[in-house]
Amino acid sequence: MKALLIGNGAREHAIAESIAKSADLFAFMSARNPGIIKLAKEFSVGDIKDPNSVLKFALHIRPDYVFVGPEEPLAQGVADILIKNGIKVCGPTKGAARLESDKGFCRNLLQKYVKDGIPKFAVCNTVREIDTAMRIFDTELVVKPAGLTGGKGVKIQGEHLKDFLEVRNYAYEIVEKQIGGMNTVVLEEKLEGEEFSLQAFTDGRKIVPMPLVQDHKRAFENDEGPNTGGMGSYSDSNHLLPFVEKKDLEDAVKIMERSVQALQKEYGIIYKGILYGGFMLTAHGPKLLEYNVRFGDPEAMNVLPILKTDFNSICLSILESRLINADFEKKASVCKYLVPKGYPDNPEADAQVGINESLVKQKGAKLYYASVNEDDGKISTTKSRSFGVVGFDTTISGAEKMTESAISAVKSDKLFYRKDIGTDKLVQKRVHHMIKIRGR
Ligand code: GLY
């Protein structure tokens, strides 16, 4: 079997590893990912967001199917052009990808089909609409550009935005400067709770969930500092999280099932690929904060290495609308991202990094390459996240220790990471927060 992967981050390196277990891997990347290059039979570097460039390489490879890693190519219609040319794609079409690329569209659809499962919201396109909408909320607010911002556009009152005035000004800025590429802002009630990521395979009818993961968006320890693409994440061996109960997972899966079915009912769109719900677990159960139409980054690195079912078989079953179940090892995982000093606001690039890959392997951990350059075997950093290091064990605490010990295989004083992710102290803080919120 031949599978063509689009993308070149650490998430895609983890996907590449899963594909290469039982298929010949081909890759189309916007930059050379040394990990993917090592696994691929053939690769090409070009503009992954340009549907015609992707099509050209796909016609050259003639794969059995294409897997698209990041959201931008999907939002640009890469799946549509490939399908039109007779190439199968495990990934949503442009219309289905609007669940992520147009948060206004997503909210309006969900309001009709999963009303109780989402926060109160308003979608605004003008300053006047913002003024009117802000009067209807009696809670603090979350402000979201409707378009894509790489996870960095969401601002929360009381955290990034001091008060009502800052909320209003940021909402104005989004519509006036078209932050996220659209003049649309979503205002949303701020919910109290703990966030979790539910990634799932779907053929447009059925949802097959993967182990739950919790990501850490803030750059610094104790959840301080600016928002990032994600600094690290953990999962537990029972595939829940220490603060999530089975019923919460079932409710979240139901929300996702109703969402893909809503796409078909309302627009005749059959969603095929990965759907990832970013949920807030509240005193009243899980509420969907946003959808992503792809694997999470870093969350893919938590779940794919412990996937027991063959990844290519799952993708083919999605394409044939007969989605099979996915089995995962009963293991906990902790992923920590190593990022350049100064990331995300003023990252220092071009630092040389030494990596002892055999030491990572010896520890039983995984190292996934993210945004780095390789020249003559020498690895140097860029301005984005550099490496994801992941440890596994029967407990989160054991996995965290493995991650820490594997990080010693990366030699550089120009990188930093969050030491607190996956530690007992931080996990217990989440558990106690949730106990307080539930009142039990
Ligand atoms: N975990 C954040 C993201 O993948 O968007």
Side-chain angles (χ1 to χ4, degrees):
M1 190 196 304
K2 284 159 81 173
L4 169 59
L5 172 67
I6 314 299
N8 47 270
R11 166 184 52 204
E12 284 75 29
H13 185 184
I15 298 168
E17 194 177 65
S18 292
I19 290 176
K21 281 183 187 158
S22 66
D24 286 344
L25 172 75
F26 297 82
F28 189 65
M29 305 183 277
S30 56
R32 297 164 62 98
N33 178 310
I36 298 177
I37 289 175
K38 226 182 251 174
L39 295 165
K41 295 265 177 243
E42 189 179 334
F43 71 91
S44 177
V45 175
D47 183 358
I48 62 169
K49 293 182 209 161
D50 174 33
N52 285 308
S53 304
V54 177
L55 176 65
K56 195 168 161 213
F57 189 63
L59 288 173
H60 161 67
I61 300 298
R62 294 257 165 223
D64 291 285
Y65 81 98
V66 175
F67 192 96
V68 184
E71 63 276 21
E72 294 98 333
L74 294 164
Q76 293 302 323
V78 158
D80 305 59
I81 196 166
L82 292 171
I83 293 166
K84 226 180 256 164
N85 283 274
I87 297 166
K88 292 180 184 151
V89 184
C90 189
T93 54
K94 187 173 179 169
R98 286 181 77 196
L99 286 184
E100 177 169 359
S101 64
D102 184 349
K103 289 182 181 57
F105 164 85
C106 180
R107 283 279 169 246
N108 288 325
L109 183 72
L110 298 188
Q111 184 170 40
K112 187 162 169 193
Y113 288 90
V114 293
K115 201 169 176 38
D116 296 342
I118 58 171
K120 259 191 228 139
F121 72 96
V123 180
C124 308
N125 296 307
T126 62
V127 161
R128 185 181 286 218
E129 282 173 15
I130 293 168
D131 289 343
T132 310
M134 284 187 69
R135 288 189 211 112
I136 63 169
F137 291 98
D138 52 8
T139 60
E140 288 191 305
L141 293 175
V142 179
V143 188
K144 299 180 171 180
L148 296 178
T149 54
K152 293 169 200 146
V154 177
K155 293 197 180 176
I156 302 172
Q157 190 175 348
E159 294 180 28
H160 318 90
L161 304 168
K162 210 170 55 222
D163 52 24
F164 185 85
L165 205 65
E166 286 196 7
V167 166
R168 199 192 62 182
N169 290 346
Y170 182 50
Y172 281 6
E173 196 185 336
I174 291 170
V175 297
E176 281 164 356
K177 295 191 183 154
Q178 306 205 346
I179 296 176
M182 302 167 86
N183 67 332
T184 311
V185 63
V186 179
L187 297 173
E188 208 169 85
E189 72 173 313
K190 179 178 164 185
L191 296 173
E192 223 204 318
E194 279 294 328
E195 284 189 44
F196 67 86
S197 304
L198 172 53
Q199 304 169 97
F201 298 100
T202 180
D203 59 2
R205 293 169 303 130
K206 201 167 133 187
I207 289 282
V208 170
M210 304 184 213
L212 295 182
V213 182
Q214 189 175 44
D215 185 16
H216 297 70
K217 288 240 188 309
R218 300 298 200 97
F220 309 133
E221 275 151 36
N222 298 315
D223 297 318
E224 284 170 9
N227 270 358
T228 67
M231 291 296 289
S233 47
Y234 65 91
S235 65
D236 206 351
S237 55
N238 63 359
H239 302 162
L240 296 170
L241 287 165
F243 54 86
V244 179
E245 294 170 2
K246 198 157 168 265
K247 165 85 168 62
D248 302 320
L249 170 63
E250 287 165 0
D251 290 347
V253 168
K254 260 184 228 146
I255 292 174
M256 291 179 67
E257 254 160 17
R258 276 193 262 151
S259 304
V260 291
Q261 288 160 5
L263 267 181
Q264 186 172 6
K265 275 192 204 137
E266 203 68 10
Y267 301 103
I269 292 173
I270 299 177
Y271 189 109
K272 284 180 185 287
I274 308 299
L275 183 61
Y276 145 27
F279 285 89
M280 178 71 85
L281 183 56
T282 71
H284 309 289
K287 308 284 172 193
L288 192 279
L289 298 182
E290 61 184 37
Y291 272 132
N292 298 299
V293 296
R294 50 170 172 85
F295 276 107
D297 189 353
E299 292 94 325
M301 292 182 271
N302 295 92
V303 298
L304 284 173
I306 59 166
L307 175 63
K308 288 201 288 185
T309 311
D310 176 55
F311 182 78
N312 295 300
S313 304
I314 299 174
C315 292
L316 290 187
S317 76
I318 288 173
L319 294 171
E320 291 163 7
S321 301
R322 50 163 189 89
L323 178 55
I324 57 174
N325 278 331
D327 263 354
F328 291 83
E329 290 175 65
K330 297 269 180 220
K331 278 186 182 168
S333 68
V334 172
C335 174
K336 303 199 191 201
Y337 248 123
L338 283 85
V339 302
K341 276 195 174 158
Y343 174 83
D345 293 337
N346 294 298
E348 290 173 34
D350 303 323
Q352 288 234 338
V353 185
I355 296 172
N356 184 344
E357 289 209 25
S358 50
L359 182 61
V360 176
K361 207 167 170 188
Q362 187 192 319
K363 304 274 183 196
K366 296 272 184 189
L367 181 141
Y368 295 109
Y369 289 86
S371 184
V372 291
N373 288 318
E374 186 183 27
D375 197 13
D376 238 1
K378 291 200 176 84
I379 305 285
S380 59
T381 58
T382 68
K383 293 188 170 195
S384 294
R385 296 176 293 180
S386 311
F387 312 95
V389 178
V390 200
F392 306 90
D393 190 52
T394 50
T395 63
I396 297 171
S397 160
E400 195 273 334
K401 288 185 180 76
M402 183 190 283
T403 306
E404 279 292 324
S405 103
I407 284 175
S408 64
V410 182
K411 297 283 175 225
S412 170
D413 55 4
K414 298 284 186 194
L415 296 171
F416 78 95
Y417 68 96
R418 276 185 60 169
K419 290 203 168 53
D420 61 346
I421 293 171
T423 57
D424 283 343
K425 192 174 164 207
L426 193 58
V427 174
Q428 283 314 308
K429 192 173 148 192
R430 311 280 195 230
V431 170
H432 288 121
H433 183 211
M434 211 53 235
I435 289 174
K436 199 171 137 208
I437 285 171
R438 290 196 211 252
R440 61 182 157 89

